[in-house]
Amino acid sequence: MKQTAKLFAIALFSGAITLAGYKIGFEKQPETNSQNKIQTSANLLSKVNLGAENIDFTSAAENTIHSVVHVKNMSTKRTASSIFEYMYGYQRESAPVQVGTGSGVIISEDGYIVTNNHVIEGASEIEITLNNNKSYKAKLIGTDKKMDIALLKIDEDDKLPYVVFADSDALRVGEWALAVGNPYNLTSTVTAGIISAKARNLSKDGIQSFIQTDAAVNPGNSGGALVNTNGELIGINTMISSQTGSYVGYSFAVPSNITRKIIEDLMQFGNVQRGVLGISGSELNSITAQKLDIDLTQGVYVADVSEKSGAQKAGIKSGDIITKIDNETVNSFAELTSYINSKRPGDKVNVLVLRDKKEKNFEVILTKKEILSFEFNGLEFEDLSDEVKESLGLDYGVKIEDVNNSNFEEYKDQLKGAVLLSVDRMKIKDVDALKEYLKNKNGQNSYYKIILKNKQLVNIIM
């Protein structure tokens, strides 16, 4: 009996040791594995959450639709050109009222609204309808035709819902974006897509720099909001790329940083204060890099530096390659333009260039666009100010600032201060466009169409 009890005690003790060993040696390990699995699972889950099905667009959409308005442009169309009206005071009787529609974005609680210039251009009356169907007459504060932005104002005693601006420079390709507007008069329409590209230039003058997205944008969306998933404004929807006029894959928006700067200028100065470096050039690629005997294939090659510009005063020369501005890498001319468009005349920027395969840094004070000049055949040209363009009813042309050609001595008084409209029937938008065209003429004569100071329209061959 004692022997049996002794064996039982030993067995019990052995079982306890075995159980304890199991607890220590085996149960601890699954706990560690379990934690590892949870951590891995969490990592996988975070990656899965990047998918569209797991992103919540509702908050951004709900906040934005109340800040996006319907813009109605009521106008009467006349057939006489602005030049003839200017010269002869010619006007036709008003045609029936025409109505155009688009979208706008409330950017302040006291009723400031941003939209596209083309949405309200030529309007005799602008009507704004909020998401709650309340309507107001809007006042035009100012426009920037080159960037297609307009600022409106409505009066309302109550505080209005509005969107806040995000930093469009911080956007990354592949981020989600929502387009909110009124396509085909369908109010409060929200579509989603991703940022397809940044700093997209669609014009020949190199001034524009758009955000490209594949969020569906159609006629009527113009002037509406492009927002991030937080409901913050990253751009103003402006145009689509389409042969049919409807959405087929890509749309374009003016970045919020450029929009904000334009709006602040219009509020403070009444016009856009556009600063420029004062250089013309082209983007690098493998072909130009080989010709220049450099390894870079991205950046901006400086072909020419404008007289009196900040770039010239700072010491930037033709042949330099701009690689960075304020420590921001410059991959293309559009990226350089996008950054400069968010600055004003008098602002300082640090420009890093590659010269003779060595890096040099220059502090450039941006100059005002209108002061840049160009001399050709004894005629000195300057860009027209926005005020002069508006007074003439023009969106193109350059001013003849001075005449130093003896062949025109007889007409010097009339030519000085006159406006050059076109060369060889090509409209001249600004000094840069004139310079670019004439440098390829190789001394051949051209036909200049000019409005003299006495309002006479003349053609000059030289």
Side-chain angles (χ1 to χ4, degrees):
M1 186 69 178
K2 288 182 180 181
Q3 185 67 23
T4 303
K6 187 176 181 180
L7 290 173
F8 179 76
I10 292 172
L12 186 63
F13 180 72
S14 299
I17 291 175
T18 301
L19 181 61
Y22 176 81
K23 290 283 187 180
I24 295 171
F26 294 93
E27 286 198 353
K28 291 288 184 183
Q29 187 66 33
E31 186 176 342
T32 303
N33 287 340
S34 177
Q35 289 176 348
N36 287 339
K37 285 181 180 178
I38 290 172
Q39 188 175 356
T40 305
S41 178
N43 289 338
L44 289 173
L45 195 61
S46 67
K47 292 179 181 178
V48 171
N49 278 342
L50 294 176
E53 67 276 8
N54 291 293
I55 293 181
D56 186 5
F57 296 110
T58 58
S59 178
E62 287 171 0
N63 291 336
T64 308
I65 59 174
H66 300 294
S67 304
V68 174
V69 302
H70 193 250
V71 181
K72 188 180 292 184
N73 170 344
M74 287 163 282
S75 61
T76 54
K77 189 175 182 180
R78 300 197 312 246
T79 58
S81 71
S82 56
I83 294 176
F84 284 105
E85 289 176 6
Y86 173 73
M87 293 173 62
Y88 304 113
Y90 174 75
Q91 292 184 356
R92 285 191 60 186
E93 292 183 3
S94 296
V97 174
Q98 297 183 334
V99 178
T101 61
S103 305
V105 184
I106 304 174
I107 57 168
S108 69
E109 62 183 17
D110 57 347
Y112 280 98
I113 296 169
V114 62
T115 184
N116 286 144
N117 176 71
H118 77 260
V119 171
I120 54 84
E121 192 169 24
S124 54
E125 188 175 294
I126 302 171
E127 182 179 283
I128 299 295
T129 304
L130 304 187
N131 193 51
N132 61 10
N133 293 325
K134 291 180 69 175
S135 294
Y136 305 82
K137 299 299 180 187
K139 176 184 177 182
L140 178 62
I141 302 300
T143 66
D144 181 0
K145 292 182 179 180
K146 287 190 174 181
M147 291 308 300
D148 200 13
I149 292 292
L151 182 64
L152 310 174
K153 177 72 166 64
I154 61 173
D155 294 323
E156 168 59 65
D157 294 332
D158 296 330
K159 294 181 178 180
L160 295 169
Y162 64 96
V163 294
V164 297
F165 284 81
D167 180 5
S168 55
D169 288 341
L171 285 176
R172 297 171 62 189
V173 173
E175 283 188 37
W176 284 100
L178 301 180
V180 185
N182 306 288
Y184 303 117
N185 283 323
L186 301 172
T187 58
S188 307
T189 297
V190 181
T191 56
I194 63 168
I195 304 299
S196 306
K198 295 172 60 180
R200 183 70 79 198
N201 180 26
L202 303 178
S203 66
K204 293 181 180 179
D205 56 21
I207 191 175
Q208 294 177 327
S209 180
F210 293 107
I211 297 169
Q212 180 180 319
T213 176
D214 64 355
V217 170
N218 281 293
N221 270 111
S222 291
L226 186 70
V227 300
N228 58 24
T229 52
N230 295 323
E232 299 163 332
L233 189 69
I234 57 176
I236 298 297
N237 295 315
T238 298
M239 65 176 69
I240 57 178
S241 178
S242 170
Q243 294 180 341
T244 64
S246 298
Y247 172 77
V248 292
Y250 296 112
S251 54
F252 303 91
V254 179
S256 59
N257 285 6
I258 295 176
T259 303
R260 182 174 61 238
K261 185 261 178 186
I262 291 170
I263 291 165
E264 290 171 351
D265 282 356
L266 292 175
M267 286 181 174
Q268 185 174 351
F269 306 105
N271 55 50
V272 179
Q273 305 290 299
R274 183 168 283 115
V276 293
L277 271 178
I279 63 105
S280 60
S282 58
E283 297 176 5
L284 288 180
N285 54 40
S286 57
I287 297 174
T288 54
Q290 187 175 2
K291 288 180 180 178
L292 297 170
D293 189 27
I294 57 174
D295 296 329
L296 290 176
T297 55
Q298 290 182 311
V300 172
Y301 174 76
V302 179
D304 193 19
V305 181
S306 300
E307 296 287 336
K308 304 178 186 178
S309 69
Q312 185 194 52
K313 292 175 182 177
I316 294 177
K317 298 179 180 179
S318 174
D320 287 345
I321 298 167
I322 298 175
T323 58
K324 286 186 178 181
I325 182 164
D326 287 343
N327 291 321
E328 295 287 333
T329 301
V330 174
N331 294 317
S332 65
F333 203 93
E335 285 186 358
L336 178 65
T337 298
S338 180
Y339 189 84
I340 295 297
N341 279 345
S342 65
K343 302 294 181 180
R344 294 187 177 89
D347 286 351
K348 294 180 181 178
V349 294
N350 289 305
V351 181
L352 184 68
V353 307
L354 190 68
R355 179 186 294 174
D356 298 326
K357 298 185 179 181
K358 295 180 181 179
E359 288 186 336
K360 285 181 173 287
N361 192 70
F362 298 93
E363 185 178 76
V364 180
I365 299 176
L366 301 182
T367 48
K368 195 172 182 179
K369 175 70 175 174
E370 282 77 14
I371 74 168
L372 298 185
S373 61
F374 166 63
E375 187 170 342
F376 185 79
N377 275 356
L379 298 180
E380 185 177 333
F381 300 95
E382 284 190 1
D383 283 333
L384 285 178
S385 67
D386 291 336
E387 292 83 356
V388 172
K389 285 182 181 179
E390 186 175 350
S391 69
L392 295 176
L394 296 170
D395 60 359
Y396 65 98
V398 296
K399 178 184 177 183
I400 300 176
E401 178 62 21
D402 204 359
V403 179
N404 299 305
N405 188 327
S406 58
N407 293 328
F408 301 113
E409 189 65 32
E410 184 180 350
Y411 306 100
K412 183 173 182 178
D413 290 340
Q414 282 296 324
L415 283 173
K416 190 174 179 179
V419 176
L420 171 64
L421 298 175
S422 65
V423 179
D424 297 333
R425 297 184 179 180
M426 186 189 81
K427 291 181 178 179
I428 300 299
K429 285 190 174 183
D430 51 30
V431 165
D432 288 338
L434 177 64
K435 185 190 302 184
E436 186 69 23
Y437 180 76
L438 291 179
K439 77 177 184 180
N440 296 320
K441 288 289 292 184
N442 297 322
Q444 297 178 359
N445 286 338
S446 295
Y447 293 85
Y448 293 72
K449 181 175 285 187
I450 298 170
I451 296 180
L452 301 177
K453 287 198 297 186
N454 64 5
K455 302 180 184 179
Q456 183 180 357
L457 191 64
V458 298
N459 289 304
I460 295 176
I461 302 175
M462 65 175 181

